[in-house]
Amino acid sequence: MKLAQRDRLFVLTGAGVSAESGLATFRGSGGLWNGYRVEQVATPEAWEADPALVWRFYSMRRREAAAASPNAAHRTLARIENRLGDRFFLCTQNVDDLHERAGSLRVHHMHGSLFQSRCEGCPFLVADTACYESEDSLPRCPRCGSSLRPRIVWFGEIPLDMEGIYRRLDAAAALLVVGTSGSVYPAAGFVHRAVALGIGAMYIGPESPANAEAFDEIRLGPATRELPRLLEEIGAG
Ligand code: BJW
């Protein structure tokens, strides 16, 4: 991947980028939680049926993410951003904060943030690192009294700021996708949009994603190995 002096880079990351920090991916082995698939706990229907179960799931995720550290893949993306400045944009499907802790500044969490909660009845949004483990400890909105839920985009909900995402993608000269199965939309469709606009697209990860056919180049390998190699190649202008 070569970038000319004014070229912009759009990066999309998924669970694979945090795998080497010890955080489980969704669809790999170990991707189950207490026998539940992600589709069973990451939906508005699950929340409606059993908020305590959903909060236990996200409480566990908060604990695990807080205990994890950024890895060489997160750090390399921060170094690429450091070289490119505002020609760099990182859109992550991940809800952990490892990109920020590695030093990335221009990060957009399209599927929400693990360490935020929001009210389901009013616009109240709050930073929240607490764990809610039992039925009688579930949090309520201090403004209107409705239930507070994790600020996560579940299946059937619209990812955050799609307009801003597409504006950044359309302005890019290259799309780099790292560590995602290419099976969850709309993120899985970014590469098709890039192809239609003539934007070069590269994938990095240990196995081919479901949308592999759309990429110009696929580099098979763990992100902690392949991203530092890529950094050496990028002429950041
Ligand atoms: C490594 C590695 C290493 C391992 N180095 N790599 C039918 C057709 C098309 C679409 C739909 C459909 N039916 C329903 C839909 C829509 C639906 C969808 O896509 N469903 C599919 C299951 C078919 N999507 C939605 O509902 C979305 N909303 C939507 O579409 O709204 C409509 C709309 C959109 C746009 C504009 C207007 C309207 C919402 C999706 C929300 C996803 N939410 C989740 C859970 C919440 C977050 C959380 O709890 O963390 O987000 S699901 C889960 O999947 C999570 C992830 O962000 C997301 C993607 O997962 P990811 O990153 O791909 O992880 P894995 O585990 O699948 O893959 C890991 C990868 O890492 C693998 O490839 C490994 O090889 C790799 N890897 N080690 C690099 N060391």
Side-chain angles (χ1 to χ4, degrees), residues 14-47:
V17 88
S18 295
E20 291 170 88
S21 293
L23 300 183
T25 60
F26 293 95
R27 293 164 188 86
S29 58
L32 289 174
W33 174 70
N34 282 359
Y36 294 96
R37 290 194 320 274
V38 64
E39 291 83 355
Q40 294 173 285
V41 277
T43 60
E45 292 76 24
W47 171 252

PDB file of all heavy atoms in Angstrom, residues 14-47:
ATOM      1  N   GLY A  14     -11.930  -4.741  13.546  1.00  0.00           N
ATOM      2  CA  GLY A  14     -12.921  -5.594  14.192  1.00  0.00           C
ATOM      3  C   GLY A  14     -12.287  -6.341  15.356  1.00  0.00           C
ATOM      4  O   GLY A  14     -11.137  -6.058  15.737  1.00  0.00           O
ATOM      5  N   ALA A  15     -13.029  -7.293  15.874  1.00  0.00           N
ATOM      6  CA  ALA A  15     -12.624  -7.983  17.102  1.00  0.00           C
ATOM      7  C   ALA A  15     -11.221  -8.581  17.023  1.00  0.00           C
ATOM      8  O   ALA A  15     -10.525  -8.680  18.037  1.00  0.00           O
ATOM      9  CB  ALA A  15     -13.645  -9.073  17.426  1.00  0.00           C
ATOM     10  N   GLY A  16     -10.782  -8.966  15.806  1.00  0.00           N
ATOM     11  CA  GLY A  16      -9.469  -9.598  15.657  1.00  0.00           C
ATOM     12  C   GLY A  16      -8.320  -8.714  16.103  1.00  0.00           C
ATOM     13  O   GLY A  16      -7.271  -9.207  16.517  1.00  0.00           O
ATOM     14  N   VAL A  17      -8.510  -7.391  16.043  1.00  0.00           N
ATOM     15  CA  VAL A  17      -7.409  -6.498  16.406  1.00  0.00           C
ATOM     16  C   VAL A  17      -7.174  -6.529  17.923  1.00  0.00           C
ATOM     17  O   VAL A  17      -6.072  -6.276  18.401  1.00  0.00           O
ATOM     18  CB  VAL A  17      -7.665  -5.070  15.854  1.00  0.00           C
ATOM     19  CG1 VAL A  17      -8.452  -4.218  16.793  1.00  0.00           C
ATOM     20  CG2 VAL A  17      -6.386  -4.392  15.461  1.00  0.00           C
ATOM     21  N   SER A  18      -8.214  -6.883  18.683  1.00  0.00           N
ATOM     22  CA  SER A  18      -8.052  -6.979  20.136  1.00  0.00           C
ATOM     23  C   SER A  18      -7.840  -8.421  20.605  1.00  0.00           C
ATOM     24  O   SER A  18      -7.671  -8.659  21.809  1.00  0.00           O
ATOM     25  CB  SER A  18      -9.277  -6.388  20.852  1.00  0.00           C
ATOM     26  OG  SER A  18      -9.388  -5.001  20.602  1.00  0.00           O
ATOM     27  N   ALA A  19      -7.837  -9.380  19.657  1.00  0.00           N
ATOM     28  CA  ALA A  19      -7.711 -10.799  20.036  1.00  0.00           C
ATOM     29  C   ALA A  19      -6.380 -11.065  20.741  1.00  0.00           C
ATOM     30  O   ALA A  19      -6.326 -11.810  21.734  1.00  0.00           O
ATOM     31  CB  ALA A  19      -7.845 -11.694  18.803  1.00  0.00           C
ATOM     32  N   GLU A  20      -5.323 -10.411  20.239  1.00  0.00           N
ATOM     33  CA  GLU A  20      -4.008 -10.659  20.847  1.00  0.00           C
ATOM     34  C   GLU A  20      -3.810  -9.867  22.147  1.00  0.00           C
ATOM     35  O   GLU A  20      -2.760  -9.972  22.774  1.00  0.00           O
ATOM     36  CB  GLU A  20      -2.911 -10.361  19.826  1.00  0.00           C
ATOM     37  CG  GLU A  20      -2.921 -11.394  18.694  1.00  0.00           C
ATOM     38  CD  GLU A  20      -2.021 -11.003  17.539  1.00  0.00           C
ATOM     39  OE1 GLU A  20      -0.828 -11.340  17.579  1.00  0.00           O
ATOM     40  OE2 GLU A  20      -2.520 -10.336  16.602  1.00  0.00           O
ATOM     41  N   SER A  21      -4.824  -9.123  22.548  1.00  0.00           N
ATOM     42  CA  SER A  21      -4.845  -8.523  23.889  1.00  0.00           C
ATOM     43  C   SER A  21      -5.623  -9.417  24.845  1.00  0.00           C
ATOM     44  O   SER A  21      -5.864  -9.049  25.996  1.00  0.00           O
ATOM     45  CB  SER A  21      -5.493  -7.133  23.849  1.00  0.00           C
ATOM     46  OG  SER A  21      -4.694  -6.234  23.125  1.00  0.00           O
ATOM     47  N   GLY A  22      -6.092 -10.556  24.337  1.00  0.00           N
ATOM     48  CA  GLY A  22      -6.792 -11.519  25.186  1.00  0.00           C
ATOM     49  C   GLY A  22      -8.305 -11.365  25.197  1.00  0.00           C
ATOM     50  O   GLY A  22      -8.986 -12.044  25.966  1.00  0.00           O
ATOM     51  N   LEU A  23      -8.856 -10.474  24.348  1.00  0.00           N
ATOM     52  CA  LEU A  23     -10.317 -10.310  24.305  1.00  0.00           C
ATOM     53  C   LEU A  23     -10.889 -11.258  23.244  1.00  0.00           C
ATOM     54  O   LEU A  23     -10.425 -11.268  22.102  1.00  0.00           O
ATOM     55  CB  LEU A  23     -10.692  -8.858  23.995  1.00  0.00           C
ATOM     56  CG  LEU A  23     -10.186  -7.825  25.018  1.00  0.00           C
ATOM     57  CD1 LEU A  23     -10.673  -6.426  24.656  1.00  0.00           C
ATOM     58  CD2 LEU A  23     -10.628  -8.189  26.436  1.00  0.00           C
ATOM     59  N   ALA A  24     -11.887 -12.034  23.637  1.00  0.00           N
ATOM     60  CA  ALA A  24     -12.442 -13.061  22.739  1.00  0.00           C
ATOM     61  C   ALA A  24     -13.097 -12.415  21.530  1.00  0.00           C
ATOM     62  O   ALA A  24     -13.737 -11.367  21.643  1.00  0.00           O
ATOM     63  CB  ALA A  24     -13.468 -13.902  23.492  1.00  0.00           C
ATOM     64  N   THR A  25     -12.931 -13.047  20.351  1.00  0.00           N
ATOM     65  CA  THR A  25     -13.679 -12.602  19.178  1.00  0.00           C
ATOM     66  C   THR A  25     -15.099 -13.164  19.293  1.00  0.00           C
ATOM     67  O   THR A  25     -15.380 -13.972  20.185  1.00  0.00           O
ATOM     68  CB  THR A  25     -13.010 -13.078  17.876  1.00  0.00           C
ATOM     69  OG1 THR A  25     -12.973 -14.500  17.888  1.00  0.00           O
ATOM     70  CG2 THR A  25     -11.596 -12.518  17.739  1.00  0.00           C
ATOM     71  N   PHE A  26     -15.976 -12.753  18.408  1.00  0.00           N
ATOM     72  CA  PHE A  26     -17.377 -13.169  18.514  1.00  0.00           C
ATOM     73  C   PHE A  26     -17.644 -14.528  17.911  1.00  0.00           C
ATOM     74  O   PHE A  26     -18.420 -15.311  18.432  1.00  0.00           O
ATOM     75  CB  PHE A  26     -18.287 -12.140  17.837  1.00  0.00           C
ATOM     76  CG  PHE A  26     -18.283 -10.846  18.576  1.00  0.00           C
ATOM     77  CD1 PHE A  26     -17.446  -9.820  18.196  1.00  0.00           C
ATOM     78  CD2 PHE A  26     -19.103 -10.668  19.675  1.00  0.00           C
ATOM     79  CE1 PHE A  26     -17.423  -8.635  18.892  1.00  0.00           C
ATOM     80  CE2 PHE A  26     -19.093  -9.495  20.383  1.00  0.00           C
ATOM     81  CZ  PHE A  26     -18.241  -8.465  19.989  1.00  0.00           C
ATOM     82  N   ARG A  27     -17.027 -14.780  16.761  1.00  0.00           N
ATOM     83  CA  ARG A  27     -17.415 -15.975  16.028  1.00  0.00           C
ATOM     84  C   ARG A  27     -16.353 -17.066  16.057  1.00  0.00           C
ATOM     85  O   ARG A  27     -16.519 -18.111  15.466  1.00  0.00           O
ATOM     86  CB  ARG A  27     -17.813 -15.602  14.587  1.00  0.00           C
ATOM     87  CG  ARG A  27     -19.085 -14.784  14.623  1.00  0.00           C
ATOM     88  CD  ARG A  27     -19.444 -14.028  13.392  1.00  0.00           C
ATOM     89  NE  ARG A  27     -20.587 -13.152  13.710  1.00  0.00           N
ATOM     90  CZ  ARG A  27     -20.476 -11.928  14.231  1.00  0.00           C
ATOM     91  NH1 ARG A  27     -19.292 -11.412  14.460  1.00  0.00           N
ATOM     92  NH2 ARG A  27     -21.553 -11.234  14.529  1.00  0.00           N
ATOM     93  N   GLY A  28     -15.243 -16.831  16.754  1.00  0.00           N
ATOM     94  CA  GLY A  28     -14.225 -17.868  16.872  1.00  0.00           C
ATOM     95  C   GLY A  28     -14.546 -18.806  18.017  1.00  0.00           C
ATOM     96  O   GLY A  28     -15.565 -18.663  18.691  1.00  0.00           O
ATOM     97  N   SER A  29     -13.650 -19.767  18.260  1.00  0.00           N
ATOM     98  CA  SER A  29     -13.833 -20.618  19.436  1.00  0.00           C
ATOM     99  C   SER A  29     -13.618 -19.707  20.641  1.00  0.00           C
ATOM    100  O   SER A  29     -12.783 -18.804  20.623  1.00  0.00           O
ATOM    101  CB  SER A  29     -12.826 -21.761  19.436  1.00  0.00           C
ATOM    102  OG  SER A  29     -11.533 -21.233  19.412  1.00  0.00           O
ATOM    103  N   GLY A  30     -14.366 -19.913  21.694  1.00  0.00           N
ATOM    104  CA  GLY A  30     -14.280 -19.005  22.835  1.00  0.00           C
ATOM    105  C   GLY A  30     -15.186 -17.800  22.644  1.00  0.00           C
ATOM    106  O   GLY A  30     -15.245 -16.913  23.479  1.00  0.00           O
ATOM    107  N   GLY A  31     -15.895 -17.759  21.488  1.00  0.00           N
ATOM    108  CA  GLY A  31     -16.774 -16.631  21.208  1.00  0.00           C
ATOM    109  C   GLY A  31     -18.139 -16.775  21.851  1.00  0.00           C
ATOM    110  O   GLY A  31     -19.019 -15.957  21.622  1.00  0.00           O
ATOM    111  N   LEU A  32     -18.314 -17.769  22.647  1.00  0.00           N
ATOM    112  CA  LEU A  32     -19.591 -17.944  23.335  1.00  0.00           C
ATOM    113  C   LEU A  32     -19.474 -17.400  24.750  1.00  0.00           C
ATOM    114  O   LEU A  32     -18.398 -17.371  25.328  1.00  0.00           O
ATOM    115  CB  LEU A  32     -19.937 -19.428  23.429  1.00  0.00           C
ATOM    116  CG  LEU A  32     -20.335 -20.130  22.132  1.00  0.00           C
ATOM    117  CD1 LEU A  32     -20.507 -21.625  22.407  1.00  0.00           C
ATOM    118  CD2 LEU A  32     -21.641 -19.566  21.606  1.00  0.00           C
ATOM    119  N   TRP A  33     -20.578 -16.970  25.298  1.00  0.00           N
ATOM    120  CA  TRP A  33     -20.585 -16.523  26.684  1.00  0.00           C
ATOM    121  C   TRP A  33     -21.644 -17.340  27.429  1.00  0.00           C
ATOM    122  O   TRP A  33     -22.829 -17.240  27.103  1.00  0.00           O
ATOM    123  CB  TRP A  33     -20.926 -15.037  26.762  1.00  0.00           C
ATOM    124  CG  TRP A  33     -21.079 -14.551  28.165  1.00  0.00           C
ATOM    125  CD1 TRP A  33     -20.082 -14.398  29.085  1.00  0.00           C
ATOM    126  CD2 TRP A  33     -22.283 -14.176  28.820  1.00  0.00           C
ATOM    127  NE1 TRP A  33     -20.599 -13.940  30.263  1.00  0.00           N
ATOM    128  CE2 TRP A  33     -21.948 -13.795  30.120  1.00  0.00           C
ATOM    129  CE3 TRP A  33     -23.625 -14.119  28.422  1.00  0.00           C
ATOM    130  CZ2 TRP A  33     -22.895 -13.366  31.037  1.00  0.00           C
ATOM    131  CZ3 TRP A  33     -24.559 -13.687  29.342  1.00  0.00           C
ATOM    132  CH2 TRP A  33     -24.200 -13.318  30.630  1.00  0.00           C
ATOM    133  N   ASN A  34     -21.189 -18.163  28.364  1.00  0.00           N
ATOM    134  CA  ASN A  34     -22.117 -19.014  29.130  1.00  0.00           C
ATOM    135  C   ASN A  34     -23.067 -19.771  28.205  1.00  0.00           C
ATOM    136  O   ASN A  34     -24.246 -19.933  28.519  1.00  0.00           O
ATOM    137  CB  ASN A  34     -22.958 -18.167  30.092  1.00  0.00           C
ATOM    138  CG  ASN A  34     -22.153 -17.787  31.324  1.00  0.00           C
ATOM    139  OD1 ASN A  34     -20.995 -18.181  31.450  1.00  0.00           O
ATOM    140  ND2 ASN A  34     -22.761 -17.049  32.210  1.00  0.00           N
ATOM    141  N   GLY A  35     -22.578 -20.183  27.029  1.00  0.00           N
ATOM    142  CA  GLY A  35     -23.421 -20.948  26.116  1.00  0.00           C
ATOM    143  C   GLY A  35     -24.304 -20.089  25.217  1.00  0.00           C
ATOM    144  O   GLY A  35     -25.057 -20.619  24.409  1.00  0.00           O
ATOM    145  N   TYR A  36     -24.222 -18.774  25.351  1.00  0.00           N
ATOM    146  CA  TYR A  36     -25.044 -17.897  24.499  1.00  0.00           C
ATOM    147  C   TYR A  36     -24.220 -17.430  23.305  1.00  0.00           C
ATOM    148  O   TYR A  36     -23.048 -17.075  23.456  1.00  0.00           O
ATOM    149  CB  TYR A  36     -25.496 -16.648  25.263  1.00  0.00           C
ATOM    150  CG  TYR A  36     -26.449 -16.942  26.394  1.00  0.00           C
ATOM    151  CD1 TYR A  36     -25.975 -17.076  27.694  1.00  0.00           C
ATOM    152  CD2 TYR A  36     -27.812 -17.074  26.162  1.00  0.00           C
ATOM    153  CE1 TYR A  36     -26.842 -17.341  28.749  1.00  0.00           C
ATOM    154  CE2 TYR A  36     -28.684 -17.340  27.206  1.00  0.00           C
ATOM    155  CZ  TYR A  36     -28.200 -17.476  28.486  1.00  0.00           C
ATOM    156  OH  TYR A  36     -29.050 -17.730  29.525  1.00  0.00           O
ATOM    157  N   ARG A  37     -24.843 -17.360  22.130  1.00  0.00           N
ATOM    158  CA  ARG A  37     -24.223 -16.698  20.990  1.00  0.00           C
ATOM    159  C   ARG A  37     -24.456 -15.194  21.139  1.00  0.00           C
ATOM    160  O   ARG A  37     -25.392 -14.775  21.814  1.00  0.00           O
ATOM    161  CB  ARG A  37     -24.854 -17.168  19.666  1.00  0.00           C
ATOM    162  CG  ARG A  37     -24.525 -18.595  19.292  1.00  0.00           C
ATOM    163  CD  ARG A  37     -24.896 -18.853  17.835  1.00  0.00           C
ATOM    164  NE  ARG A  37     -26.169 -18.226  17.452  1.00  0.00           N
ATOM    165  CZ  ARG A  37     -27.368 -18.785  17.631  1.00  0.00           C
ATOM    166  NH1 ARG A  37     -27.457 -19.977  18.178  1.00  0.00           N
ATOM    167  NH2 ARG A  37     -28.458 -18.143  17.261  1.00  0.00           N
ATOM    168  N   VAL A  38     -23.578 -14.410  20.460  1.00  0.00           N
ATOM    169  CA  VAL A  38     -23.688 -12.955  20.604  1.00  0.00           C
ATOM    170  C   VAL A  38     -25.077 -12.464  20.183  1.00  0.00           C
ATOM    171  O   VAL A  38     -25.641 -11.544  20.785  1.00  0.00           O
ATOM    172  CB  VAL A  38     -22.556 -12.237  19.828  1.00  0.00           C
ATOM    173  CG1 VAL A  38     -22.637 -12.471  18.338  1.00  0.00           C
ATOM    174  CG2 VAL A  38     -22.571 -10.746  20.097  1.00  0.00           C
ATOM    175  N   GLU A  39     -25.648 -13.126  19.191  1.00  0.00           N
ATOM    176  CA  GLU A  39     -26.978 -12.718  18.717  1.00  0.00           C
ATOM    177  C   GLU A  39     -28.035 -12.870  19.820  1.00  0.00           C
ATOM    178  O   GLU A  39     -29.103 -12.270  19.751  1.00  0.00           O
ATOM    179  CB  GLU A  39     -27.406 -13.549  17.512  1.00  0.00           C
ATOM    180  CG  GLU A  39     -26.617 -13.285  16.235  1.00  0.00           C
ATOM    181  CD  GLU A  39     -25.296 -14.048  16.171  1.00  0.00           C
ATOM    182  OE1 GLU A  39     -24.937 -14.723  17.162  1.00  0.00           O
ATOM    183  OE2 GLU A  39     -24.621 -13.956  15.129  1.00  0.00           O
ATOM    184  N   GLN A  40     -27.745 -13.704  20.839  1.00  0.00           N
ATOM    185  CA  GLN A  40     -28.742 -13.920  21.895  1.00  0.00           C
ATOM    186  C   GLN A  40     -28.632 -12.899  23.029  1.00  0.00           C
ATOM    187  O   GLN A  40     -29.546 -12.803  23.850  1.00  0.00           O
ATOM    188  CB  GLN A  40     -28.597 -15.340  22.450  1.00  0.00           C
ATOM    189  CG  GLN A  40     -28.952 -16.412  21.429  1.00  0.00           C
ATOM    190  CD  GLN A  40     -28.627 -17.799  21.945  1.00  0.00           C
ATOM    191  OE1 GLN A  40     -27.469 -18.202  21.990  1.00  0.00           O
ATOM    192  NE2 GLN A  40     -29.653 -18.533  22.349  1.00  0.00           N
ATOM    193  N   VAL A  41     -27.503 -12.202  23.108  1.00  0.00           N
ATOM    194  CA  VAL A  41     -27.367 -11.206  24.177  1.00  0.00           C
ATOM    195  C   VAL A  41     -27.165  -9.792  23.643  1.00  0.00           C
ATOM    196  O   VAL A  41     -27.227  -8.837  24.407  1.00  0.00           O
ATOM    197  CB  VAL A  41     -26.210 -11.551  25.150  1.00  0.00           C
ATOM    198  CG1 VAL A  41     -26.647 -12.542  26.192  1.00  0.00           C
ATOM    199  CG2 VAL A  41     -24.982 -12.039  24.416  1.00  0.00           C
ATOM    200  N   ALA A  42     -26.906  -9.665  22.340  1.00  0.00           N
ATOM    201  CA  ALA A  42     -26.655  -8.338  21.756  1.00  0.00           C
ATOM    202  C   ALA A  42     -27.789  -7.952  20.831  1.00  0.00           C
ATOM    203  O   ALA A  42     -27.586  -7.602  19.674  1.00  0.00           O
ATOM    204  CB  ALA A  42     -25.317  -8.331  21.021  1.00  0.00           C
ATOM    205  N   THR A  43     -29.004  -7.983  21.351  1.00  0.00           N
ATOM    206  CA  THR A  43     -30.173  -7.564  20.576  1.00  0.00           C
ATOM    207  C   THR A  43     -31.137  -6.803  21.481  1.00  0.00           C
ATOM    208  O   THR A  43     -31.191  -7.044  22.697  1.00  0.00           O
ATOM    209  CB  THR A  43     -30.973  -8.778  20.022  1.00  0.00           C
ATOM    210  OG1 THR A  43     -31.409  -9.560  21.134  1.00  0.00           O
ATOM    211  CG2 THR A  43     -30.151  -9.615  19.074  1.00  0.00           C
ATOM    212  N   PRO A  44     -31.929  -5.914  20.894  1.00  0.00           N
ATOM    213  CA  PRO A  44     -32.958  -5.225  21.684  1.00  0.00           C
ATOM    214  C   PRO A  44     -33.946  -6.237  22.282  1.00  0.00           C
ATOM    215  O   PRO A  44     -34.468  -6.018  23.376  1.00  0.00           O
ATOM    216  CB  PRO A  44     -33.656  -4.328  20.652  1.00  0.00           C
ATOM    217  CG  PRO A  44     -32.686  -4.178  19.531  1.00  0.00           C
ATOM    218  CD  PRO A  44     -31.872  -5.442  19.494  1.00  0.00           C
ATOM    219  N   GLU A  45     -34.174  -7.355  21.590  1.00  0.00           N
ATOM    220  CA  GLU A  45     -35.118  -8.372  22.097  1.00  0.00           C
ATOM    221  C   GLU A  45     -34.580  -8.997  23.385  1.00  0.00           C
ATOM    222  O   GLU A  45     -35.323  -9.231  24.345  1.00  0.00           O
ATOM    223  CB  GLU A  45     -35.356  -9.466  21.050  1.00  0.00           C
ATOM    224  CG  GLU A  45     -36.106  -8.996  19.803  1.00  0.00           C
ATOM    225  CD  GLU A  45     -35.247  -8.179  18.838  1.00  0.00           C
ATOM    226  OE1 GLU A  45     -33.999  -8.330  18.861  1.00  0.00           O
ATOM    227  OE2 GLU A  45     -35.815  -7.373  18.071  1.00  0.00           O
ATOM    228  N   ALA A  46     -33.265  -9.287  23.403  1.00  0.00           N
ATOM    229  CA  ALA A  46     -32.655  -9.863  24.613  1.00  0.00           C
ATOM    230  C   ALA A  46     -32.774  -8.886  25.773  1.00  0.00           C
ATOM    231  O   ALA A  46     -33.090  -9.264  26.903  1.00  0.00           O
ATOM    232  CB  ALA A  46     -31.190 -10.192  24.345  1.00  0.00           C
ATOM    233  N   TRP A  47     -32.539  -7.616  25.477  1.00  0.00           N
ATOM    234  CA  TRP A  47     -32.627  -6.575  26.506  1.00  0.00           C
ATOM    235  C   TRP A  47     -34.044  -6.501  27.073  1.00  0.00           C
ATOM    236  O   TRP A  47     -34.248  -6.415  28.282  1.00  0.00           O
ATOM    237  CB  TRP A  47     -32.200  -5.243  25.898  1.00  0.00           C
ATOM    238  CG  TRP A  47     -32.435  -4.043  26.759  1.00  0.00           C
ATOM    239  CD1 TRP A  47     -33.374  -3.076  26.573  1.00  0.00           C
ATOM    240  CD2 TRP A  47     -31.712  -3.692  27.950  1.00  0.00           C
ATOM    241  NE1 TRP A  47     -33.288  -2.134  27.570  1.00  0.00           N
ATOM    242  CE2 TRP A  47     -32.278  -2.488  28.430  1.00  0.00           C
ATOM    243  CE3 TRP A  47     -30.666  -4.268  28.652  1.00  0.00           C
ATOM    244  CZ2 TRP A  47     -31.819  -1.858  29.579  1.00  0.00           C
ATOM    245  CZ3 TRP A  47     -30.201  -3.629  29.799  1.00  0.00           C
ATOM    246  CH2 TRP A  47     -30.771  -2.445  30.252  1.00  0.00           C
TER     247      TRP A  47
END
